[in-house]
Amino acid sequence: MWARGSDTVDAVNRLHENTVYLPGYPCPPSLRASSDLGAVITGSELLLMVVPTQYIVTTLGEAAKLLQPHQVMVSCSKGISLASLETVEELLERLVPPEFRSRLAYLSGPSFAAEVAGGQPTAVTVAAKDDQLAARVQALLSNPRFRCYRSTDVIGVELAGALKNVLAIACGISDGLGFGNNARAALITRGLYEITKLAVARGANPLTMSGLAGMGDLVLTCTGDLSRNRTVGLRLGRGERLQDIQASMGGAVAEGVPTAVAIRTLARKLGVECPIMQGIHRVIHEGANAQEVVTEVMSRELKPEVAPDIIKGVIANGSNTNLMEVLAAAGPPQTPAVAEAPPPALKATALEGAAATAARNPRSILCDGGRSGEREDGAMRTATVAVLAAGAGAALGAAVVAVSRWRR
């Protein structure tokens, strides 16, 4: 294990415990700590990078050139670069040698370090552009107490892990102000809506936002007492100054503080409205009164929960509809999402049949288990899965989009 501070190195090697950042949890006697980053990198097969996002460039720097073709690097950092608006993936792909870019994976999900160290059951997501690489990392890290799922939606997993930290500060502020469970539930739900819009505008799969890296990590960080970001928000809501809070954290980093700045800039660049995220930036970095910001957000123009553009855009225009553009415009989690390529056995005629069936009676396709599709050599059942994955309310939209995209 590489550690910057000599106190941490000495404690791990002599006491077999990280007394600075994880006191009370013994480390395996075989674990050795070193302040020589080059030696740690060259002597390893699997590298876990847990450096805070804002320090990745200065920490990895020249050492990235020491990476070997047989190694795999797994990033566990969650954030967006304040200087460049790059995700961790984009930072690493810029830093590592070009031939090593295919060796990068990303771990995210609801995983408080103290609970993992204590052997508490934990489930996370490992993402990589190459599914075989994701599967290899998944197998290496999984055990009966730590279960890994895998994904190829790297940008979705990355943004979900970064953006939820800002929302956790919002939930902490809400709790600090004395607001109740209703307010927290509203923040989590509408905050996820904003996170999904931003992520999809960057090319993410909206379904990732409902998984471990999205909703799973969001719920944990917004409600858990071990959450650094929620704790920062809680103390802000109780009237403490941000500078004093950060000074008392003993070197621990709440990623949501710098990420709030990055999100505001990113949202403006993408043209995505994020009133909750923008409000949090005002409270954290502009000194706005939290009570007044809450009133402003709650008093905005009333609107539908699910933007009508999404349904109109998906259903109205078959082959000319770009699903990603529609999602970027509205982006709720309920949006129908379909695979980029059809399963081999799936025929366009079967999907046309699915759309026709849903148009006559949307419930039949959901309640009858795709029974009518069995006359198409079982292909209809696959189409039903695509519809169910999008949610019951989007049955017709999913079928129509599937037809238009898979015809191409």
Side-chain angles (χ1 to χ4, degrees):
M1 181 179 79
W2 174 80
R4 181 178 53 186
S6 58
D7 291 345
T8 303
V9 171
D10 180 65
V12 171
N13 291 335
R14 187 169 53 87
L15 304 175
H16 305 297
E17 182 180 319
N18 187 341
T19 57
V20 179
Y21 294 107
L22 206 61
Y25 295 91
C27 298
S30 58
L31 177 65
R32 303 297 298 170
S34 172
S35 57
D36 185 342
L37 182 58
V40 171
I41 288 178
T42 56
S44 303
E45 178 182 355
L46 182 71
L47 300 162
L48 299 179
M49 191 194 68
V50 296
V51 178
T53 303
Q54 308 309 321
Y55 300 100
I56 288 176
V57 174
T58 54
T59 300
L60 204 53
E62 292 296 313
K65 298 177 182 178
L66 301 174
L67 296 169
Q68 304 298 313
H70 71 279
Q71 294 176 312
V72 174
M73 178 181 285
V74 182
S75 167
C76 306
S77 305
K78 301 174 182 178
I80 298 174
S81 169
L82 184 57
S84 62
L85 294 185
E86 292 173 295
T87 63
V88 176
E89 174 206 6
E90 292 166 331
L91 286 174
L92 291 183
E93 290 202 342
R94 175 161 61 86
L95 290 172
V96 304
E99 61 272 17
F100 194 83
R101 292 171 185 167
S102 62
R103 313 292 294 172
L104 296 171
Y106 305 85
L107 186 150
S108 193
S111 49
F112 285 150
E115 293 190 6
V116 175
Q120 297 293 327
T122 301
V124 298
T125 299
V126 172
K129 293 179 180 179
D130 180 355
D131 185 61
Q132 290 186 339
L133 177 65
R136 181 185 173 193
V137 175
Q138 177 187 35
L140 286 171
L141 296 183
S142 293
N143 63 50
R145 293 287 181 172
F146 192 81
R147 181 174 176 84
C148 296
Y149 291 83
R150 69 179 186 270
S151 170
T152 56
D153 183 19
V154 172
I155 187 65
V157 168
E158 282 275 273
L159 287 175
L163 304 185
K164 56 86 184 175
N165 286 325
V166 181
L167 194 58
I169 295 178
C171 288
I173 292 174
S174 175
D175 292 343
L177 290 170
F179 296 155
N181 296 320
N182 292 352
R184 188 191 304 120
L187 277 171
I188 292 174
T189 307
R190 295 306 298 174
L192 180 61
Y193 180 90
E194 294 185 11
I195 289 173
T196 303
K197 288 198 296 182
L198 281 168
V200 171
R202 285 292 306 273
N205 184 335
L207 291 179
T208 299
M209 303 304 118
S210 65
L212 289 165
M215 176 58 80
D217 209 1
L218 184 63
V219 170
L220 180 77
T221 314
C222 290
T223 63
D225 291 335
L226 294 176
S227 168
R228 291 190 298 270
N229 291 283
R230 178 180 175 274
T231 299
V232 168
L234 192 66
R235 295 173 65 178
L236 283 171
R238 291 171 177 168
E240 295 185 53
R241 297 191 316 150
L242 178 62
Q243 295 89 335
D244 296 335
I245 297 170
Q246 290 178 312
S248 68
M249 293 177 66
V253 176
E255 288 274 20
V257 174
T259 303
V261 180
I263 285 182
R264 185 192 64 164
T265 308
L266 181 63
R268 289 177 176 177
K269 182 178 179 180
L270 295 173
V272 177
E273 184 185 15
C274 297
I276 293 175
M277 298 294 187
Q278 291 166 353
I280 293 308
H281 178 275
R282 291 175 55 202
V283 173
I284 298 175
H285 297 287
E286 298 176 13
N289 181 279
Q291 291 273 15
E292 293 177 0
V293 171
V294 170
T295 300
E296 291 173 11
V297 172
M298 294 288 286
S299 303
R300 291 177 302 119
E301 178 187 358
L302 300 177
K303 56 184 67 176
E305 182 174 20
V306 178
D309 309 20
I310 199 81
I311 300 173
K312 291 179 182 177
V314 168
I315 295 179
N317 190 356
S319 60
N320 293 325
T321 297
N322 184 316
L323 183 59
M324 287 297 107
E325 291 178 1
V326 176
L327 290 174
Q334 298 93 333
T335 299
V338 295
E340 288 297 330
L346 191 59
K347 300 176 182 177
T349 54
L351 285 166
E352 289 171 344
T357 302
R360 291 193 302 272
N361 181 7
R363 293 186 60 187
S364 67
I365 200 171
L366 298 169
C367 300
D368 295 349
R371 185 172 56 198
S372 61
E374 292 172 5
R375 292 193 296 272
E376 294 285 347
D377 299 325
M380 180 62 182
R381 188 169 298 281
T382 307
T384 305
V385 172
V387 172
L388 287 172
L396 176 59
V400 171
V401 173
V403 173
S404 67
R405 297 192 72 193
W406 288 347
R407 266 180 168 173
R408 300 178 196 174

